[in-house]
Amino acid sequence: MTPVEEEVLRLVRGWGTLSADEVIDLALYSEGGFYAGSGRAGRRGDFLTSPEVGPLFGVLVGRALDGWWRDLDRPDPFVVVEAGAGTGTLARSVLAAEPECSPALRWVCVERSAALRTQAASALPMEPPAHVLGGAAGGGPVVTVLDDLPAGPFTGVVLGNELLDNLPPVIVERTAGGWAEVRVGEDHGRLVEVLAPSPEMTRAAERWAPGASVGSRVPLARQAARWLAQARASLEAGWVVCVDYGAATTAELGERGFDGWLRTYRAHGRGGGWLEGLGTQDITCDVPADQLQPSTIEPQAAWLRWLGIDALAAESRGTWHERAAIGDLAALRARSLVAEAQALTDEAGLGAFLVLTWPGGPTPEGTRTA
Ligand SMILES: C[S@@+](CC[C@H](N)C(=O)[O-])C[C@H]1O[C@@H](n2cnc3c(N)ncnc32)[C@H](O)[C@@H]1O
């Protein structure tokens, strides 16, 4: 048994059952959890996220930040909170691209994993949080790292690349008798799924997937909705922007099938069942966008095209053709950028990710989030 499995079994023996989101939370973030290991750097080694494909994603995020900064009338300070910052790769490439907003930029890496915070701090020149969040103008860009979202209120942007999929969902299943919550219990010393009736989860499931067929499962993005409310409340002006894989509707995920939307990853490939080897594999959930009520939603490929990725790729293709015979650093950089642009806009991969935005400020009364 892994240390996380032992801990889950101990808790199950005390409580009877645990909810799936509690178990996934322990599997990812407790001592012995997937993101606690100091050897792990985000998903590097398992699969690449957009910032890890290369510096191009950071160049384009820098352009997007400049656009939002201009829309906000060029505030100084301009606070960018990067939630789920991992090892700080995106921060490094945005800062290296020197966007126009740089002198006003206060970049706050927020990372739940202490091991990854330490790696980010060794990769970026970090300043004390009070210095970065103190409110004085000029002197940017400056960077700090925290374990949770700062309270604010700030003017700026809260960014999350592949964060929401790592916020554990509640799992519900449509049974012949109605909806049931998938919880975790014990059978002769083994951790097993247990279906438990839950009026609260039934109401939520009926709202988001009323037509689901018997046997189908859907996620309820409770933790993601709580995180989003906190992120929006930290902004007095600006936007929350999340890039992630998912679907426009919960019903689509129900049709995709349980192992189509709750996936595990371990060392270069798909992992085992979600209850197997707790703590040794990443567990990720496709984002049900309808439950989070974004004000805009578009595929990453379209967003990056709007930010000018095609022109950058065409320019690099020209440089590569001119300099391929010379084979110098400029030629190699150009070739690598062309490959990055292809990967970031691949309709069967990163290009199909969803870019979701919400305005800053408290979540309006009556908003029907999860
Ligand atoms: C899949 S990784 C993405 C890392 C990075 N954004 C990237 O795109 O390469 C998700 C990260 O979110 C972190 N995380 C999960 N929940 C968090 C939370 N509530 N606040 C901050 N970080 C969180 C995890 O520890 C992990 O490093």
Side-chain angles (χ1 to χ4, degrees), residues 62-146:
R63 287 186 178 185
L65 291 172
D66 278 342
W68 290 314
W69 181 62
R70 285 192 289 267
D71 288 348
L72 289 164
D73 264 346
R74 300 168 191 263
D76 187 353
F78 178 51
V79 177
V80 174
V81 176
E82 187 199 357
T87 55
T89 308
L90 179 61
R92 277 205 307 280
S93 48
V94 172
L95 297 180
E98 299 181 352
E100 198 192 337
C101 62
S102 291
L105 195 54
R106 304 285 182 275
W107 191 289
V108 185
C109 292
V110 177
E111 174 49 57
R112 190 169 167 187
S113 155
L116 295 180
R117 283 199 302 280
T118 304
Q119 291 193 35
S122 67
L124 284 155
M126 295 289 178
E127 305 275 338
H131 178 193
V132 173
L133 297 168
V142 281
V143 189
T144 196
V145 64
L146 296 173

Side-chain angles (χ1 to χ4, degrees), residues 218-294:
V218 295
L220 296 176
R222 296 269 160 131
Q223 247 199 62
R226 279 196 296 275
W227 176 85
L228 181 62
Q230 195 187 340
R232 290 180 71 177
S234 74
L235 291 170
E236 64 184 356
W239 291 271
V240 178
V241 181
C242 289
V243 184
D244 227 310
Y245 39 87
T249 67
T250 307
E252 276 174 67
L253 295 181
E255 282 158 25
R256 202 173 277 182
F258 183 47
D259 59 1
W261 58 259
L262 191 85
R263 290 188 299 273
T264 61
Y265 291 94
R266 177 191 286 139
H268 307 295
R270 291 287 288 267
W274 73 281
L275 269 179
E276 282 171 31
L278 291 175
T280 65
Q281 55 184 2
D282 197 1
I283 306 176
T284 82
C285 177
D286 283 16
V287 178
D290 53 349
Q291 293 182 30
L292 301 175
Q293 302 282 285

Side-chain angles (χ1 to χ4, degrees), residues 158-236:
V158 180
L159 276 179
N161 188 69
E162 294 203 31
L163 166 76
L164 298 178
D165 69 85
N166 261 163
L167 301 183
V170 170
I171 301 170
V172 287
E173 178 174 321
R174 184 73 171 247
T175 70
W179 287 96
E181 185 186 343
V182 178
R183 297 179 67 86
V184 176
E186 180 191 356
D187 181 25
H188 296 93
R190 279 180 52 243
L191 294 171
V192 291
E193 291 184 354
V194 175
L195 292 182
S198 160
E200 188 196 348
M201 299 311 163
T202 296
R203 271 194 301 279
E206 263 310 300
R207 178 196 289 175
W208 300 114
S213 54
V214 171
S216 63
R217 290 181 171 185
V218 295
L220 296 176
R222 296 269 160 131
Q223 247 199 62
R226 279 196 296 275
W227 176 85
L228 181 62
Q230 195 187 340
R232 290 180 71 177
S234 74
L235 291 170
E236 64 184 356

